[in-house]
Amino acid sequence: MKLATKINIKSKLAFLHDITHETAELIAAMQTAITYNTSKPLQEYRTKAEAVQKETGPLSAIIKEAASDEEGIRPYVVVPEHLGNIWKNLDKLSGLIDKKIREKVLFSDKAVNESIYLLQRLVEILRPTADIILARNTFLSKYVLESQANIERMADEYATLHENRLITGECLPVASSIYVGMLGAIKSIAWHTKEIAVILGK
């Protein structure tokens, strides 16, 4: 691989690392938004999701071209696509949280605590995944894989508990729609994060 191409690819991988790290920062902002019932922490990210999806799109082709000359680059080809999907779900999740706050939709204390817990678990797998992009690490990959499985299991368990709250009237239908949507987005973000970690952890 030519030196100029190597430098270019290195900058692209650094960009993917930065976007993954920024994903964790956005999720931390979502936690703050839910905790204090304010959309203010989300405002700076409202236009970011669309921009990231546009930027990550062409990266797969660029990395694929570089991979034809260097075998070690090949696993990175699918990373931009997964990151694009992560930010697509982040946009959905942010919109649901904003709707909850803007329309003054009340969550039960349990739903609030469950949401904050799952968001924290996302932060805890996204930060090491960002590190894996720059320094592929089997140990970190295994940690992300196991943590993602736990997130999915807990989200499914919370969905079941939520159904019971809906039946007993503890949760209103309008809140239910938002909460279930949030759980789906959280699971999708965790899955795509896990895919990045597994592919680069081999």
Side-chain angles (χ1 to χ4, degrees):
M1 186 186 293
K2 294 179 181 179
L3 178 60
T5 304
K6 284 185 177 181
I7 293 173
N8 183 50
I9 288 300
K10 187 176 180 180
S11 69
K12 300 304 181 187
L13 297 185
F15 170 77
L16 294 176
H17 165 273
D18 292 347
I19 288 298
T20 307
H21 183 75
E22 193 166 356
T23 302
E25 297 303 310
L26 172 52
I27 292 173
M30 290 180 181
Q31 289 180 286
T32 302
I34 292 176
T35 301
Y36 296 101
N37 203 40
T38 174
S39 295
K40 189 174 181 180
L42 305 176
Q43 289 173 358
E44 65 179 287
Y45 295 98
R46 284 182 176 168
T47 58
K48 184 72 176 180
E50 184 178 347
V52 167
Q53 290 175 67
K54 287 181 179 178
E55 290 179 69
T56 53
L59 274 179
S60 288
I62 294 171
I63 296 174
K64 186 176 182 179
E65 183 178 352
S68 63
D69 294 328
E70 187 170 325
E71 183 77 19
I73 299 297
R74 191 167 297 171
Y76 288 94
V77 172
V78 297
V79 173
E81 181 180 350
H82 284 300
L83 271 177
N85 284 317
I86 286 171
W87 275 81
K88 183 177 180 180
N89 281 283
L90 277 174
D91 190 32
K92 177 183 177 182
L93 185 56
S94 178
L96 288 167
I97 294 172
D98 183 58
K99 180 179 180 180
K100 173 199 177 302
I101 295 168
R102 186 167 27 85
E103 297 182 5
K104 296 179 171 58
V105 177
L106 296 178
F107 275 16
S108 67
D109 289 343
K110 289 181 181 178
V112 169
N113 291 334
E114 290 163 2
S115 300
I116 292 172
Y117 175 83
L118 289 176
L119 290 174
Q120 182 58 36
R121 301 290 79 76
L122 286 181
V123 170
E124 291 171 1
I125 65 172
L126 280 159
R127 286 176 176 157
T129 299
D131 293 335
I132 292 170
I133 290 174
L134 291 186
R136 295 168 64 178
N137 183 297
T138 303
F139 176 78
L140 287 179
S141 176
K142 183 179 179 181
Y143 167 78
V144 173
L145 176 61
E146 292 174 352
S147 297
Q148 181 271 334
N150 182 59
I151 289 171
E152 184 165 350
R153 180 179 60 80
M154 293 304 297
D156 288 341
E157 182 178 320
Y158 290 160
T160 300
L161 293 171
H162 169 73
E163 288 178 8
N164 293 333
R165 292 197 295 267
L166 188 61
I167 291 170
T168 60
E170 188 179 348
C171 178
L172 298 175
V174 63
S176 174
S177 175
I178 294 174
Y179 183 71
V180 170
M182 287 173 60
L183 290 179
I186 287 169
K187 287 172 64 175
S188 292
I189 292 168
W191 186 85
H192 285 288
T193 302
K194 178 263 297 182
E195 287 296 294
I196 294 172
V198 169
I199 290 166
L200 298 183
K202 293 179 180 177

